[in-house]
């Protein structure tokens, strides 16, 4: 007898249930939300000040007849290579793009020389405001960054000796003073004088640029350290280095230092040095005519390491240019504590702000052979002489921002007039279309104006919005007055009871506001910022 259990006819057996794994949702990408090292985002009050600086310096350039150009942010690598001496290692090289090797521009000078050679230009005064890139150790709070703006003005063409050079130095002084920086000195030197003194001191021709780069460090290192570098790293005999020290430690007022050099028979016996001294003597009269010679310091330690300089060289420095004194106890901090301190200050681990100063805030010089490198000897413009100056905007900005009280006084927007509407009752609709009409009228007249994006805003909401924008004036559309073709203009920021306002007819509104704004800040938001930058009260 079978022992199998028989399933009743018609019955079914459920299949075992299988668990099917649900497909996993794709993992959300994780981002490190920070800018690359040596760069930063700019916004709010920072941008207001920066734009005012750009506009002010641009006006200086235009006053001197400058025309602006723009060049690519990257150049063919061969254009940039070999132009920056030891600093060539700081160039950002890009990946091969179909057989073309390119690099991010290191400055605006070499691209300008390429532009002049490529277009056969015989003379031009050009200015260029754009970003450049250097793979350097950043010091963010000092304006020393890997991506930063330069504002350049250059004069290309053949002119009487030292006339363009003197005007370039005048532009340098005008540019700094126009943004409120007055406690600076422009250090000047001459490449021919340097080459001549190195020659009479016994430096071999092949070593001149290497020795120059060491001398150029005297603004941030002691003579003992520079002397050691020249002897150990640059392989210069001690007697040669001592002779160099006699000259490169010489500095003072333009006329006094020039007189010392003119009395040096050894230097005058050298053709290069004698030519440089003669050019500086020619420049002195022009610098006095421009009224800027007192801003200058003749400093023989200034070498400017870039290989393309051939004549007058210069850079501007302030008290903040030098490295800061070490904070007490910093030398005892461990690496971990130093990293923690930088993190608390919002700085990257490799930021070098605590060890360096702002450095030079503008620099430049004469470069008579750079265009010829690109043009070739057979072209008619192969020897176009050039001289220029470059303002370091980030460094200038760091000085401006450090001025006590300035950030508290800068408004985050350019808004000059806030348009409001007051009324009440069942029939009150908030005058939103009417506020739009008045705003359009002001915009067309060139007046920066805003209104609240609410159909029926309360008075307090509108005043709070105007206060946040920092507006100096309010135009109020009253429920009854507006129907009569009048609005009230009220001065803001004087307290609740200080200004009841004045009624103005709609057809007279733009003229009245322009006059009022001109009395308050010179007519516009930029003028208001510049007034703050140049104010002796801050």
């Amino acid at each position: 007898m079978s022992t199998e259990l028989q399933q009743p006819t018609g019955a079914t057996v459920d299949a075992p249930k299988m668990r099917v794994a649900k497909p996993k949702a794709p993992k959300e990408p994780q981002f490190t939300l920070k800018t690359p090292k040596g760069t930063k985002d700019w916004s709010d009050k920072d941008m207001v000040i920066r734009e005012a600086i750009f506009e002010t310096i641009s006006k200086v350039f235009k006053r001197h007849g400058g025309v602006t150009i723009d060049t690519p942010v990257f150049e063919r690598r061969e254009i940039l290579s070999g132009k920056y001496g030891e600093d060539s290692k700081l160039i950002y090289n890009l990946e091969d793009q179909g057989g073309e090797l390119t690099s991010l521009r290191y400055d605006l000078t070499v691209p300008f020389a390429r532009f002049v050679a490529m277009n056969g230009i015989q003379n031009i005064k050009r200015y260029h405001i754009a970003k450049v890139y250097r793979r350097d150790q950043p010091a963010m709070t000092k304006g020393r960054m890997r991506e930063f703006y330069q504002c350049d003005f250059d004069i290309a063409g053949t002119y009487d000796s030292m006339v363009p050079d003197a005007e370039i130095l005048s532009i340098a002084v005008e540019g700094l003073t126009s943004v409120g920086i007055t406690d600076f000195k422009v250090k000047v030197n001459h490449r021919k004088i340097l080459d001549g003194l190195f020659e009479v001191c016994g430096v071999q021709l092949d070593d001149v640029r290497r020795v120059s780069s060491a001398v150029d460090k005297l603004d941030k290192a002691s003579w003992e350290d520079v002397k050691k570098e020249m002897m150990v790293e640059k392989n210069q005999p001690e007697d040669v280095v001592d002779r160099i020290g006699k000259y490169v430690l010489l500095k003072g007022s333009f006329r006094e230092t020039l007189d010392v050099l003119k009395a040096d028979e050894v230097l005058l016996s050298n053709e290069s040095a004698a030519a440089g001294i003669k050019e500086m003597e020619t420049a002195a009269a022009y610098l006095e005519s421009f009224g800027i010679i007192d801003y200058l310091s003749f400093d023989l330690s200034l070498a400017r390491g870039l290989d393309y300089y051939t004549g007058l060289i210069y850079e501007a420095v302030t008290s903040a240019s030098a490295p800061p004194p070490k904070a007490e106890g910093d030398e005892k901090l461990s690496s971990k504590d130093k990293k923690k301190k930088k993190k608390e200050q919002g700085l990257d681990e490799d930021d070098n702000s605590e060890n360096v100063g702002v450095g030079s805030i503008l620099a430049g010089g004469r470069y008579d052979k750079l265009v010829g490198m690109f043009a070739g000897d057979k072209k008619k413009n192969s020897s176009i002489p050039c001289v220029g100056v470059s303002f370091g905007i980030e460094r200038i900005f760091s000085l401006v921002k450090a001025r006590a009280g300035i950030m508290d006084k800068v408004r985050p927007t350019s808004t000059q007039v806030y348009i409001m509407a007051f009324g009440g009752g069942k029939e009150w609709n908030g005058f939103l279309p009417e506020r739009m009409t008045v705003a359009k009228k002001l915009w067309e007249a060139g007046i920066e104006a805003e209104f609240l994006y609410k159909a029926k805003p309360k008075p307090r909401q509108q005043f709070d919005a105007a206060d946040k924008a920092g507006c100096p004036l309010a135009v109020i559309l009253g429920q009854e007055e507006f129907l009569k073709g009048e609005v009230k203009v009220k001065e803001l920021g004087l307290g609740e009871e200080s200004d009841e306002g004045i009624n103005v007819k709609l057809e007279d509104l733009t003229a009245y506001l322009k006059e009022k704004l001109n009395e308050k800040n010179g007519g516009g938001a930029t003028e208001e910022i510049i007034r703050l930058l140049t104010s002796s009260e801050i």
Side-chain angles (χ1 to χ4, degrees), residues 424-535:
K426 293 182 179 180
E427 296 181 359
W428 172 239
N429 62 7
F431 276 172
L432 180 55
E434 290 81 358
R435 283 183 279 145
M436 292 177 172
T437 300
V438 173
K440 179 66 172 177
K441 183 177 181 179
L442 299 188
W443 294 335
E444 289 177 342
I447 298 173
E448 300 94 337
E450 281 191 88
F451 58 91
L452 200 61
Y453 289 1
K454 287 180 71 70
K456 296 172 68 173
K458 296 178 181 178
R460 185 73 268 160
Q461 291 174 318
Q462 296 174 95
F463 277 116
D464 287 345
D467 183 60
K468 184 177 180 181
C471 291
L473 297 176
V475 170
I476 301 170
L477 281 58
Q479 189 170 5
E480 296 180 2
E481 292 89 342
F482 187 72
L483 297 178
K484 298 175 184 178
E486 291 184 347
V487 294
K488 187 181 292 292
V489 177
K490 177 180 172 63
E491 191 167 350
L492 300 175
L494 301 178
E496 290 292 333
E497 301 176 359
S498 297
D499 181 27
E500 294 298 324
I502 183 171
N503 286 356
V504 178
K505 291 183 178 180
L506 272 173
E507 59 264 30
D508 300 330
L509 180 60
T510 56
Y512 179 83
L513 289 175
K514 284 186 174 182
E515 182 180 351
K516 195 77 174 173
L517 290 169
N518 195 57
E519 291 174 2
K520 290 184 68 65
N521 55 35
T526 300
E527 289 78 6
E528 182 182 357
I529 298 300
I530 297 305
R531 181 181 58 78
L532 281 175
L533 296 183
T534 56
S535 173

Side-chain angles (χ1 to χ4, degrees), residues 162-267:
M162 305 308 290
V163 176
D165 309 67
E167 184 173 5
I168 285 288
L169 284 172
S170 182
I171 291 169
V173 172
E174 288 175 47
L176 293 179
T177 55
S178 69
V179 295
I181 296 176
T182 55
D183 60 335
F184 66 90
K185 276 290 181 183
V186 180
K187 299 194 296 183
V188 300
N189 200 2
H190 201 295
R191 199 62 248 189
K192 291 178 183 177
I193 296 175
L194 270 178
D195 290 346
L197 76 84
F198 288 141
E199 187 176 344
V200 300
C201 289
V203 178
Q204 298 298 310
L205 183 61
D206 291 343
D207 291 336
V208 166
R209 287 297 184 260
R210 297 173 63 244
V211 172
S212 291
S213 67
V215 170
D216 203 36
K217 296 175 183 176
L218 279 170
D219 63 334
K220 48 185 175 290
S222 67
W223 166 243
E224 288 72 23
D225 290 337
V226 171
K227 178 179 178 178
K228 182 179 179 181
E229 179 180 337
M230 283 196 281
M231 292 174 58
V232 176
E233 298 179 28
K234 313 299 183 185
N235 299 316
Q236 300 301 306
E238 186 172 7
D239 60 328
V240 170
V241 175
D242 287 338
R243 286 195 290 270
I244 292 173
K246 170 191 169 185
Y247 287 109
V248 298
L249 296 177
L250 179 63
K251 59 184 176 181
S253 73
F254 195 97
R255 282 288 190 186
E256 289 173 350
T257 308
L258 183 59
D259 288 341
V260 172
L261 297 179
K262 286 164 59 181
D264 192 313
E265 294 182 3
V266 175
L267 267 187

Side-chain angles (χ1 to χ4, degrees), residues 142 176 181 183-185 315-318 320-321 358-363 390-399:
K142 306 299 175 62
L176 293 179
I181 296 176
D183 60 335
F184 66 90
K185 276 290 181 183
E315 64 179 29
V317 295
T318 72
S321 295
V358 170
S360 60
I361 55 178
L362 67 76
S390 178
F391 292 80
I393 290 299
E394 261 64 53
R395 298 183 182 190
I396 291 173
F397 173 80
S398 70
L399 294 179

